[in-house]
Amino acid sequence: MKQKKIETHKIGLVGQAPSRRGDPRKPLAGPNGQKIARLAGMSYDELIACRRKHLNTHNGKSGKGDAFDHAKGRVNAADVLLDWRVERIVLLGKNVARCFGFRDLPFLAEIRIYGRRFLIFPHPSGTNRWWNERQNERRARQLLQRFLRGETVPARVRKSRRRPLQLEATKPVPQVVAK
């Protein structure tokens, strides 16, 4: 089956911030951009042809990762929504997703709103432990490629291995009344 070509002019990628040594004028230039290009099944030049933006500048360290200014991120997210004329936007990391107003959503979730489609993609850095599992990387690659080609990303239905909660008939618990 022949796959659709990725139309880079219809795609935007939004990241947190450049790395400590990264150039703020060149979003996703470096190892993280190369990782995204590899997962997307495109060349690095094709990735650079997409609209790209960071929501923050490098603000120093915070724990194992970098500090992130959510207020500045929300302002820049609003600018993206107003300025960009793209159909599909990949949000790289949960901090970025929160700046766009998407809270408590899992990685690889697709949202259709504002006449656009958004994909919440895991932050590509090495500090994100989500990438440690092979099955996560395989699923991320498949869904990112489908999303970038304009195909619908299927919602993930996770089947639990736990048995359903069974209610047992029990005696009523006596109420303790304070005197």
Side-chain angles (χ1 to χ4, degrees):
M1 181 172 101
K2 189 175 179 181
Q3 293 184 352
K4 283 175 56 176
K5 185 174 178 347
I6 296 173
E7 299 171 287
T8 56
H9 64 281
K10 295 182 177 183
I11 299 167
L13 297 128
V14 182
Q16 273 188 205
S19 67
R20 194 178 23 205
R21 295 178 301 267
D23 185 350
R25 295 168 295 174
K26 298 178 183 175
L28 297 175
N32 287 340
Q34 292 170 356
K35 181 176 187 172
I36 295 295
R38 179 178 50 80
L39 290 169
M42 57 176 38
S43 71
Y44 184 70
D45 291 334
E46 288 175 307
L47 177 85
I48 298 303
C50 298
R51 296 292 305 257
R52 299 165 292 129
K53 184 171 180 93
H54 286 130
L55 294 184
N56 271 319
T57 56
H58 182 74
N59 294 323
K61 300 293 274 178
S62 174
K64 288 187 179 183
D66 293 329
F68 186 75
D69 182 352
H70 286 276
K72 184 177 181 181
R74 283 190 291 276
V75 169
N76 288 331
D79 289 344
V80 165
L81 291 174
L82 292 172
D83 295 342
W84 284 12
R85 302 288 181 245
V86 295
E87 295 175 1
R88 298 178 299 279
I89 299 176
V90 180
L91 306 175
L92 300 171
K94 297 238 178 160
N95 283 332
V96 173
R98 283 186 198 104
C99 289
F100 280 83
F102 306 126
R103 300 188 190 305
D104 302 324
L105 291 170
F107 287 135
L108 307 176
E110 179 182 329
I111 300 101
R112 292 174 187 249
I113 192 167
Y114 309 124
R116 297 186 183 138
R117 294 171 52 201
F118 297 86
L119 179 68
I120 300 176
F121 200 74
H123 191 278
S125 77
T127 59
N128 187 349
R129 286 187 247 144
W130 188 88
W131 292 107
N132 290 349
E133 294 189 34
R134 239 187 215 145
Q135 65 189 21
N136 287 346
E137 184 170 337
R138 187 172 42 249
R139 180 141 175 89
R141 178 183 298 112
Q142 291 169 350
L143 294 181
L144 179 62
Q145 289 178 9
R146 290 181 74 170
F147 181 79
L148 295 178
R149 287 192 305 262
E151 300 171 12
T152 302
V153 175
R156 184 171 187 176
V157 177
R158 178 179 279 176
K159 293 185 179 178
S160 175
R161 294 180 192 260
R162 294 183 199 169
R163 292 188 324 179
L165 180 66
Q166 295 181 2
L167 299 175
E168 298 177 8
T170 57
K171 295 178 186 176
V173 178
Q175 298 292 327
V176 177
V177 179
K179 293 183 182 180

